Amino acid sequence: MIIAPERIPVAGPSITDREPELAAEAARTAWYGNHYAYNARFEKMMAEYVGVRHAVGVPHATAALHVIFAALGIGPGDEVIVPDVTWIASVAPVVYVGAEPVLVDILPDTWCIDPAAVEAAIGPKTKAILGVDLYGSMCDWDALQAIADKHGLHLIEDAAEALGSSYNGRRAGSFGRAAAFSFHGSKTVATGEGGMFVTDDADLAKRMLFLRDHGRNPGDRFFLNHEVAFKYRMNAVTAALGIAQMERIDELITHKRAIFRWYQERLGNLNGITLNAEPAGVVNSYWMVTSVFDPALGYDKFELMAAFDKRNIDTRPFFSPLSSLPAFDDRPNAKRLVKPDDRGQAIAKHSINLPSGYNMTEEKVDIVCRAMREILSVPR
Ligand SMILES: *Cc1c(COP(=O)(O)O)cnc(C)c1O
């Protein structure tokens, strides 16, 4: 049996000397009048890279989405159409503001929300559509924007997994009213924990700045709170880590794409296996190289994970449909449009994320792919 000589983790960042140096500098100097300097620099770098006017650092992407939904006035009695297959952080903030998520199916190739399913789910209570750029794939943003425009709905982008991807020349994070990024340690740009909301809309940015700082107007020195809101600010040390990562963004994306290419060269023509899609007009930053197994092969994702685990290789299950999780047991209204034969149900059951951390080398990818062939060669 093929066994990796050293445990191969599924995700992890690329940290050079620059990141801790800048973090230490921030810990020393980001005080008094300089307290926001690193945050401002990180925010400017993100806004320029994504191609939007406003970017604001928060503790994590979950907070970014919470502030976005709250600032758009989404609340009790409202519905937000979301993909059934995503990380729960995309959808939990809909619940935080008291609105009801409505789960719909995903597309077979990009694994992003299906615009036709979105349109079919629109009702009198619908206020917004949330597109999630899953694993670095891009949503069909033209179709989603057309639907949002036609029905007068807010479109929001969860770009937590897609920094560096683009769609028809526009970067992830530049679609819809506002978007959220995550800098969790597993993400493409990593600060441990961290997030950002971005938007082109000055009024919306102002409202989000107000809500993320206990209902104070930006620049308020009199400690006058106009509403009970949230405290979602990013630490300067975190921002310094983010600056050091953004200085290397091109190198980081190039390495992510190289990891995908190494896998594709080895697994691309294996029968019954589909990897991440990169349709015409899209650049995929391949946050997680993902292997979708044809249901006919009969593999369960947890069984596959166990087979890799025995070989000293870490993998992750494709996100389980939210509709299948205990967390949504008491939300029949959220699940009312999900059907057992939805594409997302089959994809999520038979698929895993392969090791995609920045410490992957071509040699390690080779070990994972040989392990995969071995696992698939065992008669079942
Ligand atoms: C990681 C992630 C989030 C949440 O990010 P945090 O920074 O951990 O809050 C949201 N949506 C998606 C799709 C994610 O992968």
Side-chain angles (χ1 to χ4, degrees), residues 84 103 301 320-329 335 338 345:
D84 185 25
L103 307 169
K301 63 183 170 185
S320 293
L322 297 174
S323 57
S324 73
L325 299 175
F328 285 81
D329 275 355
K335 302 194 278 193
V338 177
Q345 305 288 327

Side-chain angles (χ1 to χ4, degrees), residues 42 46 163 182-191 241-242 245-246 249 252 358:
F42 184 29
M46 279 290 292
L163 185 60
S182 172
F183 311 116
H184 178 261
S186 67
K187 297 283 162 62
T188 302
V189 156
T191 63
L241 290 170
Q245 289 269 284
M246 284 305 290
I249 183 73
L252 293 176
Y358 283 102

